[in-house]
């Protein structure tokens, strides 16, 4: 395929604008001026990197910006092409006064401080696609098109049970598991099969609002309890239990608390188990990123403690493989609860994606998932360490943060009180989006935010952290 277009640019290493954004903006300019027309093919990333004398990852970052903003389209095995429908016909820039003065920022976001997304570029998508095709070709049509168990493919549930037993110290069988379309569906099922209108549920504050919404949708009244450096504050939990005698459940994220990333201490884990057994409430444990732990010893879930009588355990494989892979699971030691889960699941979704479950089972069986987790854990540990270096470079004296022992995010608290709405608006005008404290709590005094580093390149990390630093004053 002929690709006659050749990029013409003088890269400025001293510019405040990152190199990959300089490349992206020149390509956008060539599209707007007609040098590149709809359907035109761009050179491959390796060719562009060679022509410009830059690292290929820099070119890949530039292309990702163009894809995300809708200027180009990527076609598997064919390459990148100018989009048929362009996002805007007005002058475009990723930095400088022109970008700030644009009132409409939709489609111009090139950097998002998410809450801990994995990097899709390292996901084993080729292996997954190969396994999916293999399953499709091997299975008879009547097997594929017929209905399976509403709890999910039994062979897949057996392997998930084995994984949880071996790696997380649990003692379950396939009958204790329902496969779901992601962890949010698992939370919804747990809420509606556990709660009735008016039931009281303890939640961490700050915490995970999507789960709060699922609980409230089931009719729950939420009681927020503070979190400190060891997790949810037990003294406050005890006070709450004594003043509200009919607490039905507690929703927690003990492995790496969302959003603060702190790990619930062993002493507090044991205290919660005693309280759960004494007061009869169910612990709903969301273990959303168990695989990515960088310490010497993995932290086992509360659900692994045999003395815990009432629990619902939620996990996901979306971060292990890819965010778009919607496979989660709900686990419980209560057969009656699991029966209600199966009944509700059958009403809202009949069954899961049996084909995808079989494909993931194939990757687990041949060792691909295990190999990927080892690779990804080292990859994210190195990226965490790089992020820490950048935080020390730009935010030292301006913000407090602890080094997380796992997960894909930092919790950052500026030393000065910040007008987050103003900061977020000004950063958004520069194409940078952040999640403000009100995403995690109704507490007006909360002054921290969650900084996800997993999906960002080193160039993006430095650009984002340095931009944020301009809005954070140091100690007076």
């Amino acid at each position: 395929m002929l690709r006659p277009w050749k990029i013409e640019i003088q890269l400025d290493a001293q510019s405040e604008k990152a190199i990959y954004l300089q490349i992206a903006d020149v390509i956008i300019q060539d599209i707007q001026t007609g040098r590149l027309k709809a359907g035109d093919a761009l050179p491959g990333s390796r060719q562009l990197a060679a022509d410009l004398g830059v690292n290929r990852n820099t070119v890949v970052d530039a292309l990702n910006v163009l894809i995300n903003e809708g200027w180009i389209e990527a076609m598997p095995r064919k390459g990148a092409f100018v989009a048929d429908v362009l996002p805007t016909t007005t002058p475009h820039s990723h930095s400088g006064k022109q970008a700030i003065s644009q009132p409409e920022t939709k489609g111009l976001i090139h950097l998002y401080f998410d809450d801990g997304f994995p990097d899709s570029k390292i996901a084993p998508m080729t292996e997954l696609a190969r396994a999916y095709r293999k399953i499709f070709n091997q299975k008879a049509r009547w097997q594929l098109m017929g209905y399976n168990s509403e709890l999910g493919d039994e062979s897949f549930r057996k392997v998930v049970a084995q994984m949880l037993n071996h790696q997380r110290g649990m003692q379950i069988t396939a009958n204790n598991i329902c496969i779901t379309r992601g962890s949010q569906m698992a939370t919804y099922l747990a809420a509606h099969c556990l709660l009735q209108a008016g039931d009281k549920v303890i939640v961490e504050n700050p915490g995970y609002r999507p789960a709060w919404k699922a609980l409230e949708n089931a009719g729950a009244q939420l009681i927020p309890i503070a979190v400190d450096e060891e997790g949810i504050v037990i003294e406050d939990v005890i006070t709450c239990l004594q003043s509200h005698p009919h607490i039905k459940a507690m929703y927690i994220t003990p492995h790496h608390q969302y959003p603060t990333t702190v790990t619930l201490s062993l002493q507090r884990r044991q205290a919660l188990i005693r309280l759960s057994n004494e007061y009869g409430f169910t612990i709903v444990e969301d273990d959303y990123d168990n695989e990515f732990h960088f310490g010497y010893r993995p932290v086992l879930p509360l659900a692994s403690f045999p003395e815990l009588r009432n629990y619902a355990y939620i996990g996901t494989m979306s971060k292990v493989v890819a965010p778009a892979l919607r496979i989660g699971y709900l686990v419980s030691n209560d057969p009656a609860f699991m029966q209600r889960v199966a009944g509700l699941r059958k009403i809202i979704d009949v069954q899961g994606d049996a084909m995808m479950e079989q494909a993931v089972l194939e990757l687990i069986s041949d060792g691909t998932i295990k190999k990927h987790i080892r690779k990804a854990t080292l990859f994210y540990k190195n990226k965490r360490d790089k992020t820490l270096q950048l935080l020390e470079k730009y935010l030292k004296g301006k913000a407090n943060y602890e080094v997380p022992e796992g997960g894909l995010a930092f919790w950052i608290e500026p030393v000065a009180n910040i007008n987050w709405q103003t900061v977020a608006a000004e950063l958004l005008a520069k194409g940078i989006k952040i999640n403000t404290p009100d995403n995690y709590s109704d507490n007006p005094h909360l002054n921290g935010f969650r900084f996800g580093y997993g999906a960002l390149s080193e160039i993006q990390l430095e650009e984002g952290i340095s931009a944020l630093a301009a809005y954070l004053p140091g100690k007076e």
Side-chain angles (χ1 to χ4, degrees), residues 230-471:
E230 291 187 50
I232 195 167
V233 178
I234 297 299
E235 291 78 7
D236 292 353
V237 172
I238 294 173
T239 300
C240 176
L241 290 169
Q242 292 173 344
S243 58
H244 298 86
H246 300 296
I247 299 293
K248 189 65 176 290
M250 170 188 289
Y251 172 85
I252 54 173
T253 54
H255 190 236
H256 300 121
Q257 197 272 335
Y258 183 97
T260 66
T261 78
V262 301
T263 298
L264 186 66
S265 67
L266 177 59
Q267 182 179 6
R268 293 193 184 184
R269 289 167 185 263
Q270 294 171 333
L272 284 184
I273 290 171
R274 290 195 301 270
L275 292 170
S276 171
N277 292 342
E278 178 182 351
Y279 286 89
F281 64 84
T282 298
I283 292 180
V284 181
E285 180 177 12
D286 189 344
D287 204 1
Y288 64 95
D289 66 353
N290 184 282
E291 289 80 9
F292 302 127
H293 184 74
F294 310 138
Y296 293 106
R297 185 186 298 273
V299 179
L300 297 180
L302 277 76
S304 70
F305 288 69
E307 60 268 33
L308 179 59
R309 296 174 194 158
N310 305 304
Y311 73 80
Y313 178 80
I314 296 168
T316 177
M317 300 198 72
S318 297
K319 290 193 175 184
V320 176
V321 183
L325 179 69
R326 307 311 301 160
I327 293 184
Y329 45 87
L330 174 61
V331 182
S332 177
N333 56 351
D334 182 354
F337 172 77
M338 292 306 300
Q339 190 173 15
R340 294 195 297 274
V341 168
L344 179 57
R345 172 62 192 269
K346 192 170 185 178
I347 291 173
I348 64 176
D349 195 21
V350 183
Q351 66 169 21
D353 187 345
M355 284 275 294
M356 187 58 72
E357 291 170 22
Q358 284 284 321
V360 174
L361 174 59
E362 181 84 9
L363 297 189
I364 295 174
S365 301
D366 68 12
T368 297
I369 293 294
K370 186 176 182 179
K371 180 180 178 182
H372 172 67
I373 290 176
R374 286 200 302 266
K375 173 185 173 183
T377 300
L378 179 59
F379 174 82
Y380 291 126
K381 183 179 184 296
N382 291 335
K383 189 173 283 191
R384 179 205 65 179
D385 293 344
K386 177 61 178 178
T387 303
L388 177 61
Q389 293 175 10
L390 293 170
L391 292 174
E392 290 289 301
K393 178 180 178 181
Y394 291 103
L395 298 188
K396 191 172 184 178
K398 295 185 173 185
N400 296 318
Y401 41 84
E402 296 294 329
V403 182
E405 280 300 306
L408 305 177
F410 278 76
W411 177 251
I412 299 175
E413 292 184 299
V415 297
N417 289 324
I418 303 299
N419 185 327
W420 284 105
Q421 298 307 316
T422 299
V423 170
E426 294 193 16
L427 286 173
L428 189 61
K430 296 181 178 180
I432 301 173
K433 181 180 178 181
I434 64 171
N435 292 323
T436 50
D438 58 304
N439 282 273
Y440 321 111
S441 176
D442 293 327
N443 180 0
H445 301 296
L446 184 67
N447 195 42
F449 80 105
R450 189 172 165 96
F451 177 80
Y453 62 82
L456 301 178
S457 68
E458 289 187 11
I459 293 173
Q460 290 174 315
L461 286 169
E462 182 153 21
E463 181 199 355
I465 294 172
S466 62
L468 177 65
Y471 296 95

Side-chain angles (χ1 to χ4, degrees), residues 189-206:
L189 290 171
H192 282 264
C193 293
L194 181 65
L195 305 173
Q196 296 180 350
D199 282 342
K200 296 179 176 62
V201 178
I202 293 174
V203 296
E204 301 160 316
N205 185 29

Side-chain angles (χ1 to χ4, degrees), residues 120-137:
S120 59
K121 292 193 288 294
I122 68 167
M125 298 308 296
T126 301
E127 294 85 347
L128 180 62
R130 185 183 302 119
Y132 195 92
R133 289 193 298 270
K134 177 181 177 182
I135 297 299
F136 187 88
N137 291 331

